Amino acid sequence: LKHIAPMCGIAVSVSMFVAPLPAVLKARKEKSLGEVNPLPYPAQIGNCAAWLTYAICVGNVYVMIPNIFGLVLGSFFTLTGLSLAKAEMKATLKRNLFAYVAVVSSAILVNHLKLLQVSSQNLFGWVGNILLMIYYTAPLSTISTVIKTKNADSLDPVLAIAGVFNGLFWFAYGVAIWDGYVAIPNGIGALLASITSSCWLAFRK
């Protein structure tokens, strides 16, 4: 599990990060966002930046690799959104991006200046967990709408199922190396993705 689970997790994570690329490239070509929703991408930057910093602190290459991909692609997707979005959406993207960058930068500064009596692993572990929970719980409002309307058209079943496996692989890896910062949020993420998948199965047309 110490090697197989993270290798599978890397494959699934990178696949999930790459998934929006065709739509984003199409939007850039057409100079219009169309159906592309750029709001998740600043969250991807913040989440991946926090976990990349955590991975560097603990020297974990397995955690490092997918988050490098996620950070680079998230930055590309966000820049695309900023260049094509209308004024209101652009302002929201800028606010969200600033907030995530501020959180991660503040954590790095606090760690560098030793302003808190806490280890680097614990500091970035907590920051990574908080941002990952925000990232994982973002679709809950969509799930609530699906249940109320009994219509699952807004859910992406492939992404939801991939989220289940992604969470399970990283949960298994976290347990295998006794790292609660990796295991706990990904276990919760797998559960939330399972709920999303169940809603799609229950309310698909």
Side-chain angles (χ1 to χ4, degrees), residues 45-137:
I45 291 176
N47 181 51
C48 290
W51 280 104
L52 181 57
T53 309
Y54 176 81
I56 292 170
C57 285
V58 300
N60 191 317
V61 177
Y62 286 132
V63 176
M64 213 177 291
I65 292 172
N67 286 293
I68 291 173
F69 277 94
L71 181 58
V72 171
L73 288 169
S75 299
F76 176 68
F77 297 157
T78 300
L79 289 172
T80 299
L82 287 170
S83 66
L84 299 177
K86 294 181 180 178
E88 186 176 350
M89 175 64 78
K90 189 177 292 187
T92 302
L93 284 172
K94 287 180 178 178
R95 278 196 306 271
N96 292 354
L97 180 60
F98 177 80
Y100 283 110
V101 170
V103 168
V104 177
S105 299
S106 297
I108 293 172
L109 184 63
V110 166
N111 180 67
H112 180 70
L113 298 177
K114 305 297 182 186
L115 297 179
L116 294 176
Q117 298 300 312
V118 61
S119 69
S120 299
Q121 179 179 5
N122 288 332
L123 175 61
F124 291 112
W126 276 109
V127 172
N129 270 236
I130 291 168
L131 295 184
L132 186 58
M133 283 298 94
I134 294 172
Y135 190 69
Y136 273 145
T137 55

Side-chain angles (χ1 to χ4, degrees), residues 134-203:
I134 294 172
Y135 190 69
Y136 273 145
T137 55
L140 290 181
S141 58
T142 303
I143 293 173
S144 175
T145 303
V146 168
I147 293 173
K148 287 177 183 177
T149 61
K150 300 186 186 306
N151 186 334
D153 288 347
S154 59
L155 296 179
D156 185 337
V158 176
L159 196 60
I161 294 169
V164 174
F165 284 103
N166 183 61
L168 288 176
F169 284 135
W170 288 110
F171 170 75
Y173 177 57
V175 171
I177 63 172
W178 290 98
D179 188 332
Y181 289 124
V182 174
I184 294 172
N186 283 292
I188 295 172
L191 177 61
L192 292 174
S194 298
I195 293 172
T196 303
S197 301
S198 298
C199 284
W200 179 79
L201 286 170
F203 300 115

Side-chain angles (χ1 to χ4, degrees), residues 1-26:
L1 280 180
K2 289 184 179 180
H3 300 290
I4 295 174
M7 288 173 69
C8 293
I10 288 170
V12 177
S13 295
V14 171
S15 297
M16 292 174 70
F17 288 140
V18 171
L21 185 57
V24 172
L25 291 175
K26 181 182 178 184

